[in-house]
Amino acid sequence: MSAPYDSYNTSSFYPPHLGGNDLNTNLLRGLACFIVLLMAVIGSAASPVIPSTSDREIATDSTEIHFHLSQSSLDLGLDGNGERLDNLIHQLQKVSGQDSTFVISTLRIIGSASPEGSEAIDRQLSEQRAHVLFDYFARHITLPDSITDFEYLGRNWKGLYNLVTSDSDVPSRNEVLALLHPAVTATALSTTESNTLLNRLKTMKDGVPYAYMYRQLFPALRYSYLYVEYEKSIHREIDPPSPEPTVIEIEETLVCDTVTAETAASPIEIGPVTKKPFYMDLRTNMLFDIAAVPNIGAEFYLGKNFSVLANWMYGWWDSNSRHRYWRIYGGELGARWWFGHKAAEKPLTGHHIGVYCGVLTFDFEWGGTGYMGGQPGGTLWDRCLVNSGIEYGYSLPISKHLNIDFSIGLGYLGGNYIKYFPFDNDYYRKKEYKMRFFGPTKAEISLVWLLGRGNTNIRKGGDR
């Protein structure tokens, strides 16, 4: 860079003798010096000294919300969704209020679905879940369109691979990981490739690994994930430049709490919160229903393939004028152990063995000899018969929420009963007997209604 103008010797522009060639030479020299000086001034103007520098502080936050099976509507009460959203919104509003230079610079929203059903439906679910989260967030924070980025995962194969990797209880885990690995390494799967992978996963090892993942891992894949990056600029004055003619440009960037794009796009690392499944059912024995004896039962799964159940029946039909009595009532308690590959797929399904015990009383008459269990009058406990035994059965899934349970029991039925007959609008006791019966004491074809969290059957073709 040229020196300032006043450092030149001005006498060279106006020599003491102005004659001939010397004059031309001096004029050329002066013109050259003037051009150099003019370029120096222009160059200085084109390269101004930067009086300050700007630091960028970048901070990040994220949250993840979950959805019900096959749903894209936001349930704030599910798995703490509402609390997590409120915490993030409160944090952003709090920081925004402290410094007006604070702005949201990046907003990334990811929608995901578990790999079930058709590719098109899973894709649609992931899109809807992402937009539901965005719409909720936009009601509380101003969001310019230019900073928002959506990603729709559809069937989240990579997320499933990560979950299987971290769960050592997955049946045939190494084989499952080997099957899923191409979906993780591939940039994207075609619809045909994705459907082929899903069918192979469902049929692997008679469907046992898929059934386990359906219950334990798939709920964590039904989510939408929000990553937000916000920043504020800090203007800081710097020392003026030194007298040296060279201009020094200072550029400094300070980054705090940096999250890489890869981390932001990997919501599976967040560690989703899932609730423990709960399995129970209500049932009615259709054999009793056919016999006009209303009945109801309930069964609760305790874990480790064990369940307990209770049944109650009450039919009290009579027509005294015609000597017609069809009356029976009583109850039963039992415990079961479930086994077989169907039981491994889902509790309260497949083969079971168990024990049971109960009490009952009855009064049957159809215009002739009648039979009454226990003693006439009193309560059930005064005149009951007692039964107990062992049972075997099989619970067959017939729809998403229904099973039919076939059971038969062998054991003991004992107590007192009497024979009586009607005469002149009265009843006369014939004889009292003691019952000591060993043999079939239980028969059941029950319609079972599955209740609880995660207590649904896996239908052919998959279900979300």
Side-chain angles (χ1 to χ4, degrees):
M1 180 175 293
S2 302
Y5 174 80
D6 57 7
S7 65
Y8 284 89
N9 186 354
T10 56
S11 61
S12 61
F13 287 92
Y14 302 99
H17 48 279
L18 302 176
N21 293 331
D22 290 336
L23 177 59
N24 294 334
T25 301
N26 289 327
L27 286 174
L28 291 175
R29 288 178 180 175
L31 182 59
C33 289
F34 176 77
I35 293 174
V36 172
L37 178 60
L38 181 61
M39 293 178 63
V41 173
I42 294 175
S44 298
S47 302
V49 177
I50 299 176
S52 64
T53 188
S54 176
D55 295 340
R56 285 192 317 128
E57 286 189 3
I58 299 178
T60 63
D61 268 311
S62 63
T63 192
E64 180 178 295
I65 62 171
H66 300 122
F67 294 86
H68 291 288
L69 187 72
S70 302
Q71 299 295 319
S72 60
S73 57
L74 178 58
D75 183 352
L76 296 179
L78 175 65
D79 293 344
N81 285 342
E83 181 180 356
R84 287 199 293 272
L85 287 172
D86 288 345
N87 288 341
L88 178 57
I89 291 171
H90 175 73
Q91 174 67 14
L92 294 180
Q93 291 175 338
K94 177 181 177 182
V95 178
S96 297
Q98 291 176 349
D99 193 332
S100 60
T101 62
F102 172 93
V103 293
I104 297 176
S105 59
T106 301
L107 189 69
R108 183 176 178 83
I109 301 177
I110 301 172
S112 169
S114 49
E116 308 143 327
S118 71
E119 173 82 6
I121 291 179
D122 287 340
R123 173 75 179 183
Q124 183 181 24
L125 275 174
S126 67
E127 292 181 9
Q128 292 173 345
R129 288 168 177 171
H131 285 280
V132 163
L133 179 57
F134 173 80
D135 292 342
Y136 181 88
F137 203 76
R139 291 196 294 269
H140 299 82
I141 301 291
T142 302
L143 301 174
D145 293 338
S146 59
I147 66 169
T148 304
D149 179 34
F150 289 93
E151 182 177 358
Y152 314 120
L153 300 181
R155 290 172 176 168
N156 191 353
W157 292 116
K158 294 183 180 180
L160 179 60
Y161 183 89
N162 290 337
L163 289 175
V164 174
T165 300
S166 60
D167 188 347
S168 59
D169 293 331
V170 175
S172 305
R173 178 164 165 262
N174 291 335
E175 291 90 336
V176 172
L177 289 174
L179 182 60
L180 294 175
H181 189 261
V184 177
T185 56
T187 304
L189 293 182
S190 66
T191 299
T192 301
E193 292 171 333
S194 183
N195 289 338
T196 300
L197 177 57
L198 179 59
N199 291 333
R200 291 182 62 189
L201 191 63
K202 286 181 177 180
T203 56
M204 173 184 285
K205 303 292 183 180
D206 294 327
V208 173
Y210 182 84
Y212 176 91
M213 292 184 290
Y214 181 89
R215 297 192 314 269
Q216 304 296 336
L217 305 184
F218 283 11
L221 299 175
R222 303 173 188 128
Y223 68 83
S224 58
Y225 173 82
L226 183 145
Y227 166 81
V228 60
E229 183 178 286
Y230 43 87
E231 66 179 55
K232 61 180 177 179
S233 298
I234 303 176
H235 297 283
R236 185 178 64 200
E237 295 296 329
I238 64 172
D239 296 334
S242 63
E244 295 293 328
T246 303
V247 177
I248 301 175
E249 296 184 6
I250 299 176
E251 183 177 353
E252 178 183 352
T253 301
L254 176 63
V255 180
C256 302
D257 191 19
T258 303
V259 177
T260 65
E262 180 180 357
T263 303
S266 303
I268 209 65
E269 303 296 333
I270 298 299
V273 179
T274 57
K275 291 185 178 181
K276 185 177 181 180
F278 172 69
Y279 305 95
M280 67 163 292
D281 66 55
L282 295 178
R283 58 183 54 226
T284 180
N285 190 340
M286 294 184 289
L287 297 179
F288 285 155
D289 295 331
I290 293 173
V293 180
N295 67 100
I296 189 172
E299 185 169 11
F300 299 88
Y301 183 69
L302 304 179
K304 298 184 178 179
N305 293 344
F306 285 96
S307 66
V308 293
L309 70 159
N311 298 310
W312 181 257
M313 60 180 175
Y314 193 95
W316 212 249
W317 318 111
D318 66 80
S319 177
N320 190 50
S321 60
R322 300 175 59 191
H323 301 297
R324 299 284 191 269
Y325 290 91
W326 188 254
R327 306 193 293 194
I328 181 172
Y329 72 98
E332 175 186 282
L333 298 175
R336 288 174 170 176
W337 179 69
W338 299 78
F339 63 97
H341 76 272
K342 286 293 183 182
E345 289 180 6
K346 195 188 81 63
L348 304 182
T349 303
H351 299 278
H352 58 82
I353 58 175
V355 296
Y356 61 91
C357 62
V359 295
L360 75 152
T361 186
F362 57 84
D363 184 4
F364 300 132
E365 182 203 349
W366 210 252
T369 301
Y371 300 86
M372 178 181 293
Q375 297 296 324
T379 67
L380 171 66
W381 308 109
D382 297 325
R383 50 183 177 160
C384 67
L385 283 77
V386 178
N387 71 315
S388 62
I390 59 175
E391 66 165 15
Y392 164 77
Y394 186 87
S395 188
L396 174 69
I398 60 173
S399 73
K400 184 176 181 179
H401 293 286
L402 293 177
N403 283 10
I404 293 182
D405 194 346
F406 303 88
S407 300
I408 187 169
L410 301 175
Y412 167 79
L413 176 63
N416 297 331
Y417 73 98
I418 62 173
K419 286 184 179 181
Y420 67 90
F421 64 93
F423 183 76
D424 288 340
N425 295 324
D426 235 335
Y427 299 91
Y428 295 89
R429 181 184 303 191
K430 275 188 176 181
K431 191 175 181 180
E432 182 172 344
Y433 298 88
K434 287 187 177 296
M435 180 180 291
R436 300 289 185 271
F437 174 76
F438 291 90
T441 57
K442 179 177 182 178
E444 178 180 357
I445 303 178
S446 289
L447 181 64
V448 180
W449 181 27
L450 303 175
L451 300 172
R453 186 183 305 111
N455 192 15
T456 55
N457 292 320
I458 305 173
R459 294 181 293 182
K460 185 176 182 180
D463 192 9
R464 288 156 306 282

